[in-house]
Amino acid sequence: MLRLGGQVIGFAGASQSSASKGETIADTLKTVSNYVDVVAMRHPKEGAALVAAQAVDTPVINAGDGGHMHPTQTLADLSTIYNHFGRLNKLTVGLCGDLTFGRTVHSLIETLCRYGDVNFVLISPQELRTPQYVIDRINETPSCSYIEVRDMVDVIGDLDVLYMTRVQQERFFNEDDYLRLRDTYILDAEKLSHGRSNLAVLHPLPRVNEIAVDVDDDPRALYFEQVKNGMLMRMALESSVVGDELPGYNAEEMEKQVRI
């Protein structure tokens, strides 16, 4: 927003707002909306963004709601994939790591299903498998399919996209479970050597140790490009919700592509 020439107000966490006194999400938004033109909201509870959006007429951008969805990260992911392949369908997409709590994974699957013709390879330990509501979304899309596997190396050669995720310590109630699962998948140069020459390696960041630094200089490593794309896509999103005209953007054509 600052790069667009706007201003930013807000608070770093709930402890610095009236939420710490018991204020509801709806009341917070009704109050904040008097000061701003658009709200970007990250919240630890699933569905919080929907409650917020229903409470006010001010545009609300979901910057992540618990382990549910992360739509703005998906814009960065889609932009990176499209820039690399020139399309968002006819792809085999591997998603690896924490698929239970990984909201970026859930959001990306939901959106790619709208484009269709995507094969999802879900790579995770038994304890971190993809939630059923996400599986149901794939099953509801006739042109999409999925398989669930545990070994990344067995399938990496079949993938167009490998989307790595970290095992999120903050989602675990049991420290022992986190320590046991956190190093399940580590992508290094040796494992990457089994991938296709045009494989796109993505990661929503931050990484811990699930991608070794020896991968960073590989041209297939696109996760830092994702960061730049995320900034640009969020700038475009903020511009669009406040009514700015976006040169080169055709809303009717975009809706047509999504329907296809």
Side-chain angles (χ1 to χ4, degrees):
M1 182 56 76
L2 292 173
R3 289 172 63 91
L4 290 168
Q7 299 296 320
V8 179
I9 62 173
F11 32 83
S15 62
Q16 299 176 5
S17 75
S18 292
S20 64
K21 304 173 185 177
E23 184 176 59
T24 65
I25 294 172
D27 281 1
T28 298
L29 266 291
K30 289 177 181 178
T31 301
V32 171
S33 65
N34 289 296
Y35 295 86
V36 300
D37 299 298
V38 57
V39 174
M41 175 181 176
R42 174 168 291 180
H43 200 282
K45 291 186 178 180
E46 290 79 3
L50 177 61
V51 172
Q54 292 175 336
V56 295
D57 293 328
T58 305
V60 176
I61 295 175
N62 182 2
D65 60 327
H68 183 225
M69 294 285 176
H70 196 344
T72 60
Q73 178 62 48
T74 296
L75 292 177
D77 302 339
L78 296 179
S79 176
T80 307
I81 293 170
Y82 187 84
N83 288 346
H84 190 70
F85 293 103
R87 65 184 189 279
L88 293 171
N89 57 7
K90 298 181 180 179
L91 295 168
T92 298
V93 178
L95 303 114
C96 181
D98 181 358
L99 307 189
T100 297
F101 302 109
R103 60 191 174 200
T104 61
V105 168
H106 307 161
S107 195
L108 182 58
I109 291 174
E110 158 68 30
T111 308
L112 286 175
C113 282
R114 299 186 184 193
Y115 291 91
D117 202 5
V118 175
N119 301 314
F120 296 101
V121 181
L122 309 174
I123 310 162
S124 72
Q126 179 70 22
E127 296 90 338
L128 296 174
R129 292 175 61 190
T130 309
Q132 187 59 47
Y133 75 89
V134 180
I135 297 295
D136 290 343
R137 181 66 177 92
I138 300 173
N139 287 332
E140 290 166 2
T141 309
S143 63
C144 291
S145 62
Y146 77 95
I147 59 171
E148 293 182 287
V149 301
R150 294 192 181 186
D151 195 313
M152 175 176 62
V153 177
D154 283 351
V155 297
I156 192 171
D158 301 324
L159 305 177
D160 297 304
V161 177
L162 175 59
Y163 196 98
M164 297 294 296
T165 67
R166 69 184 173 95
V167 176
Q168 303 173 78
Q169 184 175 10
E170 63 269 27
R171 303 293 182 194
F172 281 81
F173 296 106
N174 187 315
E175 180 75 8
D176 291 337
D177 287 343
Y178 166 71
L179 294 174
R180 177 170 54 84
L181 294 170
R182 68 176 181 177
D183 296 332
T184 303
Y185 302 106
I186 299 177
L187 179 66
D188 55 26
E190 192 282 325
K191 293 185 180 74
L192 186 56
S193 68
H194 299 283
R196 296 174 179 174
S197 60
N198 67 336
L199 174 68
V201 179
L202 276 61
H203 191 305
L205 300 181
R207 69 172 163 186
V208 181
N209 63 345
E210 59 277 356
I211 299 180
V213 294
D214 63 8
V215 172
D216 291 354
D217 293 331
D218 192 295
R220 294 171 289 184
L222 303 182
Y223 30 90
F224 292 118
E225 179 183 330
Q226 267 178 284
V227 177
K228 181 177 181 179
N229 290 334
M231 174 189 67
L232 297 174
M233 293 298 284
R234 289 178 175 97
M235 288 172 66
L237 176 61
E238 290 167 352
S239 291
S240 67
V241 297
V242 297
D244 292 344
E245 290 190 12
L246 303 178
Y249 175 75
N250 186 315
E252 292 184 359
E253 180 63 24
M254 183 60 68
E255 291 180 4
K256 177 181 177 182
Q257 290 296 324
V258 171
R259 287 196 297 271
I260 292 173

